[in-house]
Amino acid sequence: MTLNGLAQIALYFAVLFALVKPLGWYMARVYAGQACGLDRVVGPFERLLYRVCGVRATEEMDWKTYGIAMLAFNGTGLILLYGLLRFQAWLPLNPAGLGAVPPDLAFNTAISFVTNTNWQAYGGETTLSHLTQMAGLTVQNFASAATGMAILAALIRGLARRGTQTIGNFWTDLVRGTLYILLPLALLLSLLLVSQGVVQTVASSRPVTLLQPVNSVRPALDANGQEKTEPVAVTEQVLAVGPAASQIAIKQLGTNGGGFFNGNSAHPFENPTPWSNFLEMLAILLIPASLCYTFGVMVGDTRQGWALLAAMTILLLCFIPLGLWAEQSGNPAFAALGVDQASGAGQSGGNMEGKETRFGIANSVLWAAATTAASNGSVNSMHDSYTPLGGLVPLFLMQFGEVVFGGAGSGLYGMVVFAIVAVFLAGLMVGRTPEYLGKKIEPYEMKMAALLILIMPMTVLGLTALAVSLDAGTSSVLNPGAHGFSEVLYAYASQGNNNGSAFAGLNANTPFYNFTGGIAMLIARFWLAIPTLALAGSLARKTPVPAGPGTLPTHAPLFVGLLIGVVVMVGALTFVPALALGPIVEHVIMTGR
Amino acid sequence: MRGHLRPALTMVLILTALTGLLYPLAVTGMAQLFFPGPANGSVILREGTARGSGLIGQHFDRPEYFWGRPSATAPVPYNAAASGGSNLGPTNPALIETVTTRVAALRAADPGNDAPVPVDLVTASGSGLDPHISPAAALYQVRRVARARGLEEDALRLLVARHTEARQFGLLGEPRVNVVHLNLALDDGR
């Protein structure tokens, strides 16, 4: 942990928190349908859009109608994206002449993007045409993030409204989230990224002449027609380029994470400088953090939003030092080989396998923690090559159920569910009906909350157990021993929480992983979204009760502590046994020899 | 349900046109207008020939060049059309073996240099395309390059210092040396 590293992390959080209030306030106005400045420009287009689509913008929906509209939109998007992946070979904007994506990979990838996961079983530059990247993936990056934010807006309305059946209109929430929040931010960020060197062109490749030819081999036939390899001097490097910046901006902002290139944000064309890295990291947490303030404004008490943000921040800050220490300590096996891993003026040192020189340890660890705390899943270093405890940090952060910031919208609605469980626990202790923001929490709400919390571990642990007991699961593993188990656990923790990052040594592009992962992503997204909407509908019907002497104030430090306790307890009780078999065993092995 | 089909379909199509075509093409237009160099890959031109990108590393293994980070891309190192890291875990014997070989190769190219090898010089980068090494890794190689080129070590150290990029805005990232720029300067004889 270097002084400069700590200063960079402190600056990061300072800038993030400075932006929470203005952006949170702005988003509250957007979801309340109030004037927000941009409506002079965007308003006419928005109204035209409603007319063409046959949407009555003033119409309010109950939770079931809201849910059906959400499923209809996401279902249509899923089918369209699957079609695009299967037919890309015959469609325009395919300068590299890439073929159709195989059915199992197309199934996994389509679900991956519609569910805001962006799990990459594919290699961007070698599998997907420009049209697929733009009209398929980029669209779902916007749509899935806007969907998550819409569901959150519906849940907040459920908490804020009294004695009503309705929780808003899905179509206007979707459209306003896209037009007023995501598009302007993405436009700004993509241009900032291009200025740093992120590519943005319709060309697909640029050949350059190498300074020094590289010796390689190529397959050939010998005199008898047998296959052999012959030496060849490679003198050219082909730079894969494309419309990257526009996709990268939204994949960071919308907690999506699917890269334009296989190397994701470790690729110098995707993340060229420390400044681009800072902006991309900021974009990861920007919307999830600001939505906490939006929540406070919409329920009429901003302290409630700050309390949730405080709980998220404290949880994240607990894990960053562990990651920094583990990665800076480096690999004990290298010491005997005459390798210098100490940090000093001339190098950042530490465990540099899978990390970029320009980012070093501090920026790699901070990114790994932020991208898994939020359900972003983009990477600027390869998590599979982290030290065991360094790799435990992103793994465990996902296993909290993506509520520490979490996905755009989805993280906060997950956290609100944990808040409901926390007030329920407090209510049990004093023997009185719990309430949250004046709404009584009764058996129906608790059933929905329990459902939301239990589905995820069942999916993640169940599928991990299945994969490690089948050849189809274990044959994809790259690293031997305990680390191989971590690869499988990470894959399902990532897909089962709609994160999308990976211990990428695992060959996930097999029918088994494509199929089971696709199912896990569908469950994680929609099986959780629907109980959340049911919860919103039930809360909206209730009339608030005035706070009494027995009411637990949900904006005070005591509640923040209780909330953190509940999140950690549920996560730890569920996943520590599995973590013990993976990273913890590996750590003991690594340091013990 | 049927009432939702029309908005669902038209909404997906219009949002596709807006966010999937209009938005990326608008960004492309502005990028090409305002930042044509970076938008097209920051290509380095020498007498009309593209010699590389200032952001993408190249593979060097001759003694007269500074070597960059090891690259795990296939089939050749620094394949800029298929990025990626090794994904080898810290306890994987294959990683230990690979690093041992890399240390041996550096030592063999510079007999008598027993200084500890900076870690970034023997570990593969995440992208496989990292153009940078740490200043320590550049200085480690000065003796070998000086001997191979018949140059003064001090002059080379000065060249390395000139090519060392500080932290951005004095704070962000890590100090680093761009290997492609450095080797190009060597070839230019500057």
Side-chain angles (χ1 to χ4, degrees), chain A residues 5-73:
Chain A
L6 293 179
Q8 294 196 47
I9 293 168
L11 178 74
Y12 173 74
F13 281 100
V15 173
L16 178 67
F17 288 131
L19 293 171
V20 160
K21 195 170 166 179
L23 183 61
W25 175 84
Y26 172 81
M27 290 194 289
R29 294 191 71 86
V30 169
Y31 285 110
Q34 292 161 326
C36 56
L38 271 182
D39 24 10
R40 283 161 187 251
V41 191
V42 183
F45 177 77
E46 185 193 356
R47 288 185 288 276
L48 178 70
L49 184 59
Y50 294 144
R51 220 173 26 248
V52 174
C53 297
V55 170
R56 275 184 306 241
T58 49
E59 185 184 49
E60 285 278 328
M61 297 174 173
D62 64 18
W63 79 265
K64 283 181 187 151
T65 315
Y66 199 101
I68 291 168
M70 185 269 288
L71 289 176
F73 174 73

Side-chain angles (χ1 to χ4, degrees), chain A residues 78-252:
Chain A
L78 185 66
I79 294 166
L80 216 68
L81 177 52
Y82 182 82
L84 204 52
L85 289 161
R86 298 285 293 136
F87 291 110
Q88 69 171 13
W90 298 278
L91 294 171
L93 279 173
N94 183 8
L98 297 163
V101 180
D104 60 315
L105 182 58
F107 171 80
N108 185 282
T109 306
I111 292 177
S112 172
F113 278 77
V114 171
T115 58
N116 198 244
T117 313
N118 297 27
W119 173 262
Q120 284 182 275
Y122 60 89
E125 60 269 55
T126 51
T127 319
L128 303 178
S129 75
H130 284 359
L131 184 74
T132 308
Q133 296 259 20
M134 283 165 30
L137 306 191
T138 307
V139 174
Q140 287 304 325
N141 281 348
F142 280 98
S144 63
T147 300
M149 290 155 69
I151 295 168
L152 173 70
L155 178 64
I156 300 176
R157 290 191 195 108
L159 280 162
R161 290 179 180 182
R162 50 185 68 191
T164 169
Q165 297 284 337
T166 62
I167 53 172
N169 181 315
F170 174 73
W171 300 116
T172 55
D173 285 346
L174 175 81
V175 167
R176 292 181 68 83
T178 308
L179 294 185
Y180 290 94
I181 300 169
L182 295 172
L183 256 179
L185 284 174
L187 209 56
L188 180 68
L189 182 60
S190 49
L191 288 178
L192 283 169
L193 291 179
V194 175
S195 78
Q196 291 299 298
V198 177
V199 291
Q200 180 75 25
T201 159
V202 287
S204 79
S205 62
R206 177 83 162 89
V208 297
T209 311
L210 290 169
L211 294 186
Q212 179 216 293
V214 180
N215 295 320
S216 181
V217 289
R218 69 175 169 205
L221 297 178
D222 67 13
N224 303 324
Q226 299 291 311
E227 284 187 25
K228 61 162 190 173
T229 55
E230 61 182 23
V232 59
V234 177
T235 56
E236 198 177 66
Q237 184 183 42
V238 178
L239 308 173
V241 293
S246 53
Q247 191 186 323
I248 294 160
I250 185 61
K251 72 133 171 158
Q252 296 303 110

